Structures are given as C-alpha cells and as structure tokens.
Amino acid sequence: MPASLSDKFRLLLICLFYLLLWPASVHADEFSVSIKKAELILRENSYVLSADINYQLSNSAKDALQNGIPLFWTVLVKVQQHRDYFWNKKLLDKEIRYRIQYHALLNMYRVRDESSDAVDNFSTLSAALHAMSTIRNIPIMDKADIASDTDYSVGVKVRFERDALPLPLRPIAYINPQWYLSSDWYLWSLKK
C-alpha cells in the first residue's frame, strides 16, 4: 500500500527532528551556563552586584562564533520585597547585556557590554568568556530603597538571546539543545 503524502511529510519531520537533536544529546552535559556565586554588597550608599558565571559553550555556538555570528547574553537582576498578604512587590528589574563576536581578520574575540558600551578584545575564546563571567561592582540600587524591618529576595539569571541570532539560525536554536545556553535563577535573601 503506497504511503500518503501526509505520512511521508510526517516521516520527514521526524527524521529532521532526530537529525537536529541526536548529535546534541550525546554531549549535552559538556555545555551549560550557570551562576557559581552572586551577592549584593553595600558600598557607601548603594548596593552593587558581584557575580561569578560559568559559560561552557556548545560546539554549535563555537562554530557560529567562528563564522562571525555574534552571540548575546543578558544578565537579569531582580529584587522583590516580601509581603504577607499580597504578592511580593517588585522593586527592581535590571538587565546587563553582553555581546561576544569573533573577528576573523583580526583573529580576536570582542566582548561588548551593551549597557556601558565598554569593549574589550581577547586573543582566545576562553579569555573572552572569562571576562564575561566576572561581574564586579555593578550598581544596582540605593541603600535608601531598602527598609530595615523588611525581608527581600534577590535573583540573578543569565539568559541567552536566541532572538538575536540571524533569522535562518533561530528555528534550529529553539529546537536543538546545544543552543540552550541560559542559566537557572540564583536566589538569595537580603536584609538591610
């Protein structure tokens, strides 16, 4: 009995799905983004963020970089006030965005802090990732915004910006686990 057109299409989709996912699932533990440590420190009259992030890129992400495609990550910082009878009150949502790109003519990696427009050049990928992974003394909020008799929670997350990829690469980035390069929330409590 001949297969119908919809059966052939369904089989083609299944084969394409496994073709895209199978190589990534073999070494899925070799790539990830995680937050090792994060804290808000009171300096004079403001709280500043210090964090250590671990970037382990997949082969697909490294190949994209080598071909000149910039990769973007956003470090999200949120501060919430705990309330007993209502939902927690959001005090702050801050984003710090980083871009890393390889320049073949110069044979170097460029890391740009999109928030401050600071640009640094590195000769190796590991040095560029190390620069992105060390966040120090980023002003977050004033001391006056925190009450002494209230509990607060602080969270930090690193989100890989798949929507910043070139349009032909986006569908693959959404279905291939090698492009899941975001971290979980790193949460802690804060008191004045």
Side-chain angles (χ1 to χ4, degrees):
M1 176 186 302
S4 69
L5 185 60
S6 65
D7 290 339
K8 289 179 182 178
F9 182 72
R10 190 175 302 130
L11 182 62
L12 177 67
L13 282 177
I14 291 170
C15 291
L16 182 63
F17 181 75
Y18 281 109
L19 180 66
L20 289 172
L21 291 182
W22 182 76
S25 63
V26 174
H27 303 289
D29 58 335
E30 292 180 5
F31 55 88
S32 67
V33 175
S34 60
I35 299 172
K36 295 189 285 187
K37 183 179 102 171
E39 61 185 348
L40 283 185
I41 303 167
L42 184 61
R43 305 250 182 206
E44 296 175 11
N45 287 326
S46 64
Y47 285 95
V48 295
L49 174 69
S50 291
D52 294 323
I53 303 166
N54 185 20
Y55 291 93
Q56 296 290 327
L57 299 188
S58 64
N59 290 332
S60 296
K62 289 177 186 176
D63 289 343
L65 267 176
Q66 289 296 319
N67 288 306
I69 296 173
L71 302 180
F72 293 84
W73 280 272
T74 302
V75 179
L76 306 165
V77 182
K78 70 176 181 178
V79 179
Q80 293 182 335
Q81 175 185 355
H82 289 287
R83 297 194 290 188
D84 291 334
Y85 301 109
F86 297 106
W87 290 280
N88 291 340
K89 180 181 177 183
K90 186 184 304 183
L91 293 181
L92 172 87
D93 269 334
K94 184 171 178 124
E95 295 184 354
I96 307 162
R97 189 171 179 177
Y98 291 99
R99 175 175 80 182
I100 185 171
Q101 188 171 12
Y102 178 69
H103 294 278
L105 289 175
L106 302 172
N107 194 22
M108 66 175 36
Y109 293 88
R110 179 170 287 167
V111 175
R112 180 183 180 118
D113 181 346
E114 300 280 320
S115 307
S116 67
D117 288 332
V119 177
D120 292 311
N121 296 316
F122 302 93
S123 59
T124 65
L125 177 59
S126 62
L129 292 174
H130 179 71
M132 283 177 39
S133 68
T134 306
I135 297 174
R136 294 291 179 264
N137 301 323
I138 303 289
I140 298 297
M141 62 191 311
D142 292 333
K143 179 182 176 182
D145 295 337
I146 303 287
S148 60
D149 58 344
T150 308
D151 292 333
Y152 298 91
S153 65
V154 182
V156 176
K157 177 182 178 146
V158 179
R159 180 180 64 208
F160 177 67
E161 301 295 338
R162 288 183 237 166
D163 289 338
L165 291 170
L167 192 57
L169 189 56
R170 285 184 206 166
I172 295 169
Y174 276 100
I175 61 172
N176 189 329
Q178 284 202 12
W179 289 100
Y180 295 172
L181 300 172
S182 297
S183 74
D184 293 329
W185 280 101
Y186 184 92
L187 303 169
W188 71 95
S189 58
L190 176 69
K191 283 195 172 200
K192 189 170 189 178

